[in-house]
Amino acid sequence: MTRYIIIILTIFLTACGTSSANKKKSEVNSRKIDTKTGLQENKATSQNVADETTDENHATYFVVVADTSQDYTMLHQKMFDLNRKFDIPIDTMGRYYNKSKNLIALPDNAEDEIYAGDYFPKRFPTEKLSLEYLDFYQSQAGEKTIALVTGIYETEKSADSALTILKKTEKKVFKIKANIYVGCTH
């Protein structure tokens, strides 16, 4: 019986290679993504597939941003305007703007105790609107700059298609080629 408990504890403590506390710290530190590679033109394939990775924990994706600001309320309203105008779904991941923390955050009682009350970014391909901190995708961005993300795409071609549609009404829309941490966060 003791042997099984030791095995289970070993598996639990070594999940994803580090402890939960270290993973949270690692995730926060990984916000400062190396975008030198991410900002260069994609020369990999004729399809411009974002299959480049620096390691198994990172992936190159194309992030389309409709606008940026430090004004959450303005971008939040614009997100709903884009939702109505283009019928793009919204996915906040349960996050909201916590005024006392001055932070886009998961609720303090979120199921994920490690990130409850903190910001947790979108990290995988999606064609849904959300408000994110721009510095997660573009390291030179200001720390509290909020991005109205319209989608995260695996291919540049898909991102360019979205960009073309949005440019008809959104003058500030742009695309980022970002090297995003997609590894375990616990």
Side-chain angles (χ1 to χ4, degrees):
M1 179 73 162
T2 304
R3 183 175 169 198
Y4 292 113
I5 293 172
I6 291 172
I7 291 171
I8 291 170
L9 282 174
T10 302
I11 292 170
F12 178 75
L13 294 174
T14 59
C16 300
T18 63
S19 71
S20 296
N22 287 342
K23 276 298 180 182
K24 184 172 182 180
K25 186 175 182 179
S26 171
E27 178 69 21
V28 170
N29 290 337
S30 71
R31 277 193 196 166
K32 302 295 182 197
I33 302 296
D34 175 17
T35 56
K36 289 179 185 171
T37 301
L39 295 176
Q40 296 173 352
E41 290 296 314
N42 183 356
K43 301 174 187 172
T45 66
S46 61
Q47 294 177 338
N48 292 324
V49 176
D51 56 3
E52 305 166 28
T53 57
T54 54
D55 59 46
E56 64 200 31
N57 292 317
H58 291 83
T60 302
Y61 294 133
F62 299 91
V63 182
V64 177
V65 176
D67 200 356
T68 63
S69 177
Q70 292 193 349
D71 183 346
Y72 177 88
T73 304
M74 183 272 296
L75 287 177
H76 188 259
Q77 180 58 51
K78 189 168 186 174
M79 179 173 66
F80 281 94
D81 292 344
L82 287 175
N83 166 259
R84 283 188 293 275
K85 202 181 291 184
F86 294 102
D87 198 31
I88 304 170
I90 295 173
D91 180 13
T92 63
M93 297 176 16
R95 298 171 304 176
Y96 70 104
Y97 185 72
N98 184 320
K99 288 181 184 179
S100 65
K101 291 182 180 180
N102 186 26
L103 183 71
I104 299 170
L106 291 167
D108 289 333
N109 62 351
E111 283 184 36
D112 189 334
E113 294 174 3
I114 292 175
Y115 293 102
D118 284 328
Y119 172 69
F120 189 80
K122 285 232 171 129
R123 305 179 307 135
F124 297 99
T126 181
E127 293 183 31
K128 295 181 180 174
L129 298 166
S130 65
L131 297 175
E132 307 293 335
Y133 286 111
L134 185 59
D135 67 344
F136 183 78
Y137 307 106
Q138 190 176 54
S139 63
Q140 70 270 24
E143 189 174 318
K144 288 291 184 174
T145 301
I146 301 168
L148 172 48
V149 172
T150 63
I152 300 174
Y153 300 89
E154 291 184 85
T155 66
E156 188 169 22
K157 183 177 179 180
S158 297
D160 288 343
S161 294
L163 204 60
T164 300
I165 293 167
L166 290 164
K167 276 187 177 180
K168 293 176 184 176
T169 61
E170 302 304 313
K171 304 303 179 211
K172 296 180 181 180
V173 68
F174 63 97
K175 170 183 68 178
I176 302 166
K177 183 178 177 187
N179 186 17
I180 300 174
Y181 179 77
V182 295
C184 184
T185 59
H186 290 98

